[in-house]
Amino acid sequence: MNKIIAVALPKGGVGKTSTAVNLAASLAVYEKRTLLIDADPSNTCAPALGMPFSELTGGLFDMLTNSRPYDKILHKTSLDYLDFIPSDTKILDSEERLGQVVHNYFRLREIARNKFNIYDYVIIDCPPYLGGITKLVFNAVDSVIIPIKTAQFSLLAMSKLLESLSETKLKTNKNINIEGILLSMLENNTLAAQLTEERLYPKYGKYVFKTFIPKSTSVAESTYYGKPVVLQNARSIGGQAYLELAREVIVRNKECPVKELIKESAISKTSDEKPREIALSQNRPNPFSHSTKIRFEIPYRMKIKLTVLNLFMEEIEILVENRMEAGEYEITWIPKDLANGVYYYRFDAGGLFKMNKMILAR
Ligand code: ATP
Ligand code: MG
């Protein structure tokens, strides 16, 4: 199997390069033959891998123009299973040089099909814009990973990207799909994170990777050491998160090819999945326990609030107020004052708002 994945979002500083480098290195740690290609003329993957520009012998520009042999273009890295193609051998003028070759929209696709089939995974780091070289990349790849930083502008950029992917799928590469949306710098417990998640999950929840990358010094610092975080410190929060992401990508591709997972039209459609309440299992009075159980099912990670109200609709207890992973849950409520009577519970999640009656009696 050979899978070509772009890491893209038309917005700067969201963790594209960090994701491309660290995911590629983590796949290689799992002994998947991996090729990392830097398609961003700013050429930042090379320093992230600890490769000085003076030692680069060829790059993407040479590959697209057929101007250097492959053994000069492909670079070995400190990981046996990871090869690397930089964007160019120099930073100066590379934007202009790559600009000269982007009119041949299918060149990269041809090369990818003929030359890259020895790899299990090809990961391509994209620049923070959609035109130019990104078009060539989108025509060549099977799927796209979308890194999202928890902020409003990331979501705006994502809408733009989804439009562009829809257009690509319609016109030039019908095989392109979303590999997954990655929270690439998650700062838990901030309002921005909460707002992003609240907007992201109801609409795009099923595309979001279970793994998220926390904002962590280990990821930021590893670039200064010129090592992927898994090599710098595999046990760090960032190292563990990227290894987990690689594992999720491998499992997804083995068990359920993304091409089948996402139907063609789904790419621009919104998900209408909502949490489902399974049952209120003790509507009838239970003479022994004087408790009641509430069961519900969550289709993807989302914020849930479950509140108990009295007969006068006053809140008397909050049972859950938390972000919860996908799954089935059962929550037992035991009233504190052990009073019999009628109560209600309010279930509030992902746009679903539900009230139910509970009768407790002994
Ligand atoms: P550009 O569009 O400019 O190419 P990018 O989307 O490739 O940017 P990166 O270069 O990967 O983004 O990351 C931007 C900055 O954020 C870098 O300084 C990087 O070290 C830092 N960073 C990335 N991921 C994390 C993380 N999980 N925790 C902390 N810092 C991070
Ligand atoms: Mg980058």
Side-chain angles (χ1 to χ4, degrees):
M1 191 203 73
N2 166 285
K3 185 85 194 251
I4 309 180
I5 306 174
V7 182
L9 188 77
K11 168 145 183 48
V14 292
K16 292 182 293 297
T17 302
S18 305
T19 299
V21 169
N22 289 305
L23 172 63
S26 302
L27 287 166
V29 166
Y30 282 115
E31 303 195 342
K32 298 289 169 198
R33 284 159 306 172
T34 307
L35 171 65
L36 172 68
I37 301 178
D38 190 349
D40 184 349
S42 65
N43 222 341
T44 44
C45 290
L49 288 171
M51 291 186 176
F53 290 113
S54 56
E55 288 176 17
L56 301 177
T57 51
L60 183 63
F61 172 80
D62 302 302
M63 189 167 83
L64 294 172
T65 51
N66 237 343
S67 52
R68 272 183 219 197
Y70 265 81
D71 58 344
K72 298 276 183 227
I73 292 166
L74 273 180
H75 294 73
K76 294 272 159 220
T77 69
S78 51
L79 282 157
D80 284 348
Y81 283 77
L82 180 65
D83 289 345
F84 171 56
I85 298 180
S87 133
D88 206 345
T89 45
K90 39 189 175 181
I91 314 183
L92 209 66
D93 303 334
S94 65
E95 179 112 36
E96 225 176 289
R97 270 151 59 92
L98 266 177
Q100 293 160 17
V101 291
V102 295
H103 51 268
N104 187 348
Y105 288 137
F106 298 101
R107 181 86 185 107
L108 188 58
R109 175 146 97 195
E110 283 160 29
I111 299 171
R113 289 205 177 143
N114 297 325
K115 303 270 183 193
F116 300 160
N117 40 21
I118 56 156
Y119 295 101
D120 297 313
Y121 290 95
V122 179
I123 307 291
I124 309 183
D125 182 25
C126 290
Y129 45 82
L130 289 171
I133 186 75
T134 306
K135 274 195 178 171
L136 268 72
V137 173
F138 283 0
N139 287 339
V141 299
D142 299 307
S143 66
V144 180
I145 289 180
I146 308 170
I148 293 282
K149 195 172 160 178
T150 41
Q152 164 75 341
F153 295 134
S154 278
L155 294 180
L156 292 176
M158 192 174 76
S159 306
K160 256 205 290 188
L161 173 66
L162 292 180
E163 244 173 67
S164 165
L165 290 178
S166 281
E167 200 178 300
T168 306
K169 196 173 180 75
L170 208 67
K171 294 184 179 162
T172 49
N173 178 7
K174 68 177 170 40
N175 293 325
I176 197 167
N177 276 308
I178 300 170
E179 185 72 33
I181 298 170
L182 175 71
L183 291 165
S184 56
M185 252 184 261
L186 185 66
E187 283 178 279
N188 252 331
N189 302 323
T190 63
L191 184 63
Q194 195 181 321
L195 288 172
T196 305
E197 289 191 29
E198 272 167 19
R199 280 173 207 176
L200 186 67
Y201 280 92
K203 229 174 166 183
Y204 305 110
K206 67 177 171 185
Y207 300 123
V208 182
F209 282 109
K210 284 203 179 74
T211 311
F212 59 87
I213 314 297
K215 185 163 186 178
S216 70
T217 46
S218 53
V219 177
E221 281 170 7
S222 66
T223 50
Y224 289 100
Y225 294 109
K227 276 185 183 171
V229 65
V230 277
L231 292 185
Q232 175 61 26
N233 184 357
R235 290 192 178 182
S236 62
I237 294 172
Q240 289 292 305
Y242 272 111
L243 283 169
E244 188 54 33
L245 177 68
R247 207 187 62 80
E248 192 176 341
V249 168
I250 294 166
V251 169
R252 269 189 189 204
N253 280 288
K254 255 201 211 145
E255 289 180 354
C256 183
V258 177
K259 281 173 194 163
E260 285 168 30
L261 191 76
I262 303 171
K263 297 274 175 284
E264 271 202 27
S265 57
I267 209 158
S268 59
K269 262 199 189 161
T270 61
S271 153
D272 57 358
E273 270 190 277
K274 290 224 160 70
R276 193 156 59 88
E277 201 187 325
I278 303 176
L280 174 66
S281 59
Q282 289 194 16
N283 259 334
R284 280 183 294 125
N286 180 337
F288 302 106
S289 73
H290 194 69
S291 66
T292 195
K293 285 179 181 158
I294 300 162
R295 294 179 65 209
F296 53 91
E297 189 184 349
I298 304 178
Y300 45 80
R301 187 170 188 257
M302 61 168 61
K303 200 175 163 195
I304 303 288
K305 189 171 180 188
L306 186 59
T307 320
V308 178
L309 309 137
N310 64 17
L311 191 58
F312 310 104
M313 294 294 152
E314 292 162 344
E315 273 189 17
I316 55 171
E317 208 175 325
I318 297 174
L319 298 182
V320 184
E321 189 171 18
N322 215 343
R323 221 163 289 277
M324 296 173 85
E325 299 299 329
E328 283 185 21
Y329 293 86
E330 182 175 273
I331 289 182
T332 303
W333 179 56
I334 305 169
K336 283 188 185 120
D337 59 5
L338 296 178
N340 295 335
V342 174
Y343 297 88
Y344 293 87
Y345 73 82
R346 194 170 59 210
F347 186 72
D348 193 354
L352 180 92
F353 185 81
K354 189 138 193 206
M355 286 285 270
N356 251 357
K357 199 173 186 177
M358 306 187 278
I359 302 164
L360 290 180
R362 273 199 293 192

